[in-house]
Amino acid sequence: MFPVEEYQRNWREAFMPPLVVGVVTIAVVAIVARLIGGRLSRATGQLENDVMRIAKGDFAPAQLPTTDDEIRDLAIAVNRTAEMLADYEQQVRRTEQMRTVSLLGAGLAHEMRNAATGCRMALDLHAEKCGAQNGDESLFVAKRQLRLMESQLQRFLRAGKPLDDAEKREISLTALVDDLISLVRPSARHARVKLAWTPPDHDILVLADQEALGQVVLNLLINAVEAVQQNGDDLPRVIDVSLRKLEDGTAEFGVCDTGPGPKNSLESALFDPFVTSKAEGVGLGLAVAREVVEAHQGSIDWSRTDGRTSFRVVIPMR
């Protein structure tokens, strides 16, 4: 009923535009899908590599995608998991190290404690024989140091074990610090170290294990004396000891010295077991100190400011 040429022209006019639009649309969709698929594939592959790296023990955070999508959320969750695994690994290492200390100390403590007891008994006999006065500071300090040696051996054996609440009782932190400073003063005078200590006006009471907390105080004092001895004659040798009550109901004990401070390589691991810069040290003093302070629901930290090294212990008051 129509001429062939007119029919074909009308057919092309009706069919070709949708066909062209459909072909172009399919091509655009294919290109976009390929781009999106490639981006997702690269992001997924990178995340897979990061997960495999974390599984092998490298807990560095995974690289986050630039786009805000489900892959990015998954990468953030992976990073949180890596942080938790890193913390757990540090806790496990610290626990195993402290357990090793206990096992090694068990074999040595008996002989060393017997030797310290024998020395103390010999000093007592010497004092009786020579009629030494109770005011003999050198003899008094020597006997106190031997008694402290015995108690410290027991404390090192308990490294890594929680303190029993039954061992804690109300003690005067002011009297404890003052008593231990009297033991350190002879060593400080011998090393030409100025040890400054002014007790607070009021007594500070804490609920604590006296021997364990005394070990923390004594360790920080001895470390400070050893640190300032590294200064030459032209540098000051000063140690400032402080004790005060804070407004939040805690007590703060501080030891500040003019020594050179810890090495840069040890700053982040100063309280870890077996970390020390001393040739004759084993790196247990500060590690045990942290265990004791944390067992008393307290905290211990350090800082280096204006050429001075400060250690700060904060524990709740009674």
Side-chain angles (χ1 to χ4, degrees):
M1 300 299 291
F2 295 94
V4 175
E5 293 180 358
E6 184 179 355
Y7 172 78
Q8 291 178 349
R9 185 178 65 253
N10 292 334
W11 182 87
R12 287 193 299 269
E13 291 177 356
F15 181 75
M16 291 305 293
L19 179 62
V20 172
V21 172
V23 171
V24 172
T25 302
I26 292 174
V28 172
V29 170
I31 294 173
V32 173
R34 183 177 180 83
L35 293 176
I36 294 176
R39 181 181 61 80
L40 293 177
S41 178
R42 288 192 298 272
T44 305
Q46 178 64 39
L47 184 60
E48 181 182 2
N49 294 333
D50 290 332
V51 171
M52 294 300 297
R53 174 177 51 78
I54 292 172
K56 294 179 181 179
D58 183 1
F59 301 118
Q63 182 179 359
L64 296 179
T66 56
T67 56
D68 188 8
D69 54 11
E70 290 78 5
I71 302 295
R72 182 182 178 88
D73 295 338
L74 183 58
I76 293 175
V78 169
N79 286 344
R80 291 175 181 171
T81 303
E83 293 177 1
M84 296 175 62
L85 290 174
D87 292 339
Y88 292 153
E89 183 187 41
Q90 291 295 330
Q91 294 177 9
V92 170
R93 286 183 178 180
R94 184 164 62 246
T95 301
E96 291 300 322
Q97 288 172 339
M98 300 305 290
R99 186 175 300 172
T100 302
V101 173
S102 298
L103 294 175
L104 293 176
L108 299 174
H110 180 69
E111 297 298 331
M112 294 180 67
R113 187 170 61 243
N114 287 345
T117 303
C119 290
R120 182 164 55 83
M121 293 177 63
L123 285 175
D124 291 338
L125 293 175
H126 174 75
E128 293 179 1
K129 182 178 180 180
C130 298
Q133 300 295 327
N134 291 333
D136 190 336
E137 182 181 12
S138 299
L139 191 60
F140 171 76
V141 170
K143 291 192 293 184
R144 282 293 310 276
Q145 290 285 10
L146 288 172
R147 283 197 293 269
L148 284 174
M149 183 186 299
E150 294 174 342
S151 63
Q152 287 172 3
L153 286 172
Q154 293 292 340
R155 184 58 53 195
F156 274 114
L157 286 176
R158 297 192 53 182
K161 300 178 181 179
L163 291 176
D164 188 357
D165 289 338
E167 299 177 0
K168 299 178 182 179
R169 58 187 179 86
E170 185 179 86
I171 64 171
S172 170
L173 188 56
T174 306
L176 178 64
V177 174
D178 191 67
D179 186 34
L180 293 176
I181 284 182
S182 66
L183 298 180
V184 180
R185 283 195 185 277
S187 299
R189 285 198 299 265
H190 179 73
R192 302 190 306 277
V193 175
K194 179 182 178 182
L195 182 59
W197 155 248
T198 302
D201 298 334
H202 49 276
D203 201 8
I204 296 179
L205 302 178
V206 296
L207 186 66
D209 182 331
Q210 182 168 349
E211 291 186 1
L213 196 58
Q215 182 184 354
V216 175
V217 174
L218 188 62
N219 182 268
L220 295 180
L221 293 173
I222 293 176
N223 284 352
V225 173
E226 294 177 349
V228 296
Q229 289 186 61
Q230 301 178 36
N231 292 347
D233 295 335
D234 56 334
L235 296 176
R237 297 184 176 185
V238 180
I239 299 175
D240 292 322
V241 182
S242 62
L243 179 63
R244 64 191 183 113
K245 179 174 67 173
L246 302 181
E247 295 181 356
D248 59 356
T250 59
E252 179 190 77
F253 169 70
V255 178
C256 179
D257 66 76
T258 58
K263 295 182 179 179
N264 294 335
S265 58
L266 304 180
E267 290 182 354
S268 59
L270 200 58
F271 293 98
D272 292 345
F274 308 112
V275 174
T276 181
S277 59
K278 303 176 185 177
E280 71 283 359
V282 294
L284 292 178
L286 291 178
V288 174
R290 181 178 62 178
E291 294 287 339
V292 171
V293 173
E294 291 179 352
H296 288 82
Q297 290 78 48
S299 62
I300 179 171
D301 56 19
W302 75 282
S303 60
R304 178 77 179 172
T305 308
D306 298 331
R308 289 174 172 259
T309 304
S310 300
F311 281 85
R312 176 174 174 265
V313 175
V314 178
I315 60 174
M317 293 182 58
R318 176 60 168 164

